[in-house]
Amino acid sequence: MPASPSHAPAATIEMPEEPTHALRFGKARTAQASAVLEDYVELIADLIAVHGEARATEVAKRLGVSHPTAVKSVARLKREGLATSRPYRGIFLTDAGRQLADRVRARHRLVVDMLVAVGVPAEAAESDAEGMEHHASEATLKAFARFLADRGTKT
Amino acid sequence: MPASPSHAPAATIEMPEEPTHALRFGKARTAQASAVLEDYVELIADLIAVHGEARATEVAKRLGVSHPTAVKSVARLKREGLATSRPYRGIFLTDAGRQLADRVRARHRLVVDMLVAVGVPAEAAESDAEGMEHHASEATLKAFARFLADRGTKT
DNA sequence: ACATAAATGTAGCATTAGCTACACTCACGA
DNA sequence: TCGTGAGTGTAGCTAATGCTACATTTATGT
Ligand SMILES: [Mn+2]
Ligand SMILES: [Mn+2]
Ligand SMILES: [Mn+2]
Ligand SMILES: [Mn+2]
């Protein structure tokens, strides 16, 4: 492979050595940190919409985790101002929580639709989207929406 | 255990109440657990290819983490049989590590190409792919490949 | 040769997210 | 009324991933 930076000619000017790559990884880590929060608020909003309430046990069951794990994550939601709850009662979303849930739900659908549109089987699309959705930036979502719209009118 | 969902019709046969959803979340969690390993082996392989060696400090710099963090993750790579290293020398990949690196690199390119193909700007594509790649199943990758191939021949 | 800089290693801490085990509450049926 | 079981809460553990601070080793330059 080509001449390397560390063995580079002494005379070259100091270059930042591409912090770009590091920034990308950093973004992925940041996105990942919100992934759990996002899945919880989306699910809680769904449960409230369908059942009128969201109980810790039900959340745990749907996510496939133990109930203490769900409780601990809900504690984080509360800390971050996304949810509220009081002993032996259900879990509720704050305004911020509801807003986030709406964005997350729309994004989820968009990612799934996109995957299906390019030929991914439905179940794989749903499964993969559950992880991929948290890494789709605004620019990417915009592109997805446009792609789907064009495809729709083009039929 | 009266596993009957409180909202379900009384007469219906016991249904597992969609473990599907839980399984999807479980898959996403599993994928996430390998994400760091995958990024490390890919990067280490690149560094070896380009520089002839991969040093902990360089890996840390590229990933945007502190060097002890990189060292700790490399320790996990070693534990999982993907890499080797000895005090004050570089990091090397095992056969398994090299194989994984190859798969990961190919997958990364495929995901990026796909995003670009549907209109995502290059930098966003690279950035988002860094996280999304770890959640693309075989079925999805196959669909991506086919989509790109068709698109290619179709002009 | 040797002082010093850079790389590497190690210790110790925090947070997140998972688990099991156990304790407490409350709603409901006998 | 009062048990009892499901739901909820709490304690305490693990593992992964991040950090800073400091110690040690290797490499470098004079
Ligand atoms: Mn998700
Ligand atoms: Mn989702
Ligand atoms: Mn990645
Ligand atoms: Mn990658």
Side-chain angles (χ1 to χ4, degrees):
Chain A
M1 287 308 166
S4 53
S6 57
H7 317 134
T12 5
I13 296 175
E14 283 293 318
M15 270 192 53
E17 171 75 15
E18 302 218 44
T20 321
H21 216 214
L23 292 184
R24 284 178 200 154
F25 284 112
K27 277 191 196 173
R29 280 192 297 271
T30 298
Q32 193 51 41
S34 335
V36 171
L37 297 182
E38 293 174 348
D39 285 338
Y40 272 81
V41 294
E42 184 184 1
L43 175 55
I44 290 167
D46 282 355
L47 288 174
I48 290 175
V50 173
H51 293 75
E53 64 173 6
R55 313 296 297 222
T57 301
E58 187 63 21
V59 169
K61 201 181 305 174
R62 303 290 186 110
L63 290 174
V65 299
S66 69
H67 88 265
T69 294
V71 166
K72 206 167 289 186
S73 293
V74 168
R76 189 179 159 209
L77 293 190
K78 296 207 275 181
R79 242 183 299 136
E80 309 215 358
L82 296 169
T84 61
S85 82
R86 277 186 0 206
Y88 296 97
R89 308 198 46 195
I91 303 155
F92 307 92
L93 294 181
T94 62
D95 284 352
R98 268 184 295 269
Q99 275 180 256
L100 178 58
D102 289 346
R103 284 200 295 117
V104 167
R105 186 182 300 107
R107 190 189 58 184
H108 183 108
R109 269 199 293 261
L110 190 47
V111 172
V112 170
D113 289 352
M114 180 65 200
L115 290 175
V116 169
V118 300
V120 176
E123 179 50 35
E126 280 293 344
S127 204
D128 292 5
E130 203 51 76
M132 303 200 335
E133 58 181 355
H134 309 283
H135 299 276
S137 64
E138 279 308 315
T140 290
L141 294 175
K142 201 163 291 180
F144 282 9
R146 154 164 255 147
F147 178 87
L148 290 171
D150 288 0
R151 166 116 332 187
T153 61
K154 208 180 183 182
T155 304
Chain B
M1 43 276 284
S4 59
S6 46
H7 56 286
T12 5
I13 297 176
E14 284 292 317
M15 271 192 52
E17 170 75 12
E18 303 219 42
T20 321
H21 217 215
L23 291 184
R24 284 177 200 154
F25 285 112
K27 276 191 195 173
R29 280 191 298 270
T30 298
Q32 193 51 40
S34 335
V36 170
L37 296 183
E38 293 174 349
D39 285 337
Y40 272 81
V41 294
E42 185 185 0
L43 174 55
I44 290 167
D46 282 355
L47 288 174
I48 291 175
V50 174
H51 292 76
E53 65 173 5
R55 313 295 298 221
T57 301
E58 187 63 21
V59 169
K61 200 182 306 173
R62 302 290 185 109
L63 290 174
V65 299
S66 69
H67 87 265
T69 294
V71 166
K72 207 167 288 186
S73 293
V74 168
R76 189 180 159 208
L77 294 190
K78 296 206 276 182
R79 243 184 298 136
E80 310 215 358
L82 297 169
T84 61
S85 81
R86 277 190 357 211
Y88 297 97
R89 309 199 43 197
I91 302 155
F92 306 92
L93 294 180
T94 62
D95 285 352
R98 268 184 295 269
Q99 276 181 256
L100 179 57
D102 289 346
R103 283 201 293 117
V104 167
R105 186 182 299 105
R107 191 188 58 184
H108 183 108
R109 270 200 292 263
L110 190 47
V111 172
V112 170
D113 289 351
M114 180 65 200
L115 290 175
V116 169
V118 300
V120 176
E123 179 50 35
E126 280 293 344
S127 204
D128 292 4
E130 203 51 75
M132 304 202 331
E133 59 181 355
H134 309 284
H135 298 276
S137 64
E138 279 308 314
T140 290
L141 294 175
K142 201 163 292 179
F144 283 9
R146 155 166 253 143
F147 179 87
L148 290 171
D150 288 0
R151 162 121 333 187
T153 61
K154 211 179 181 181
T155 304

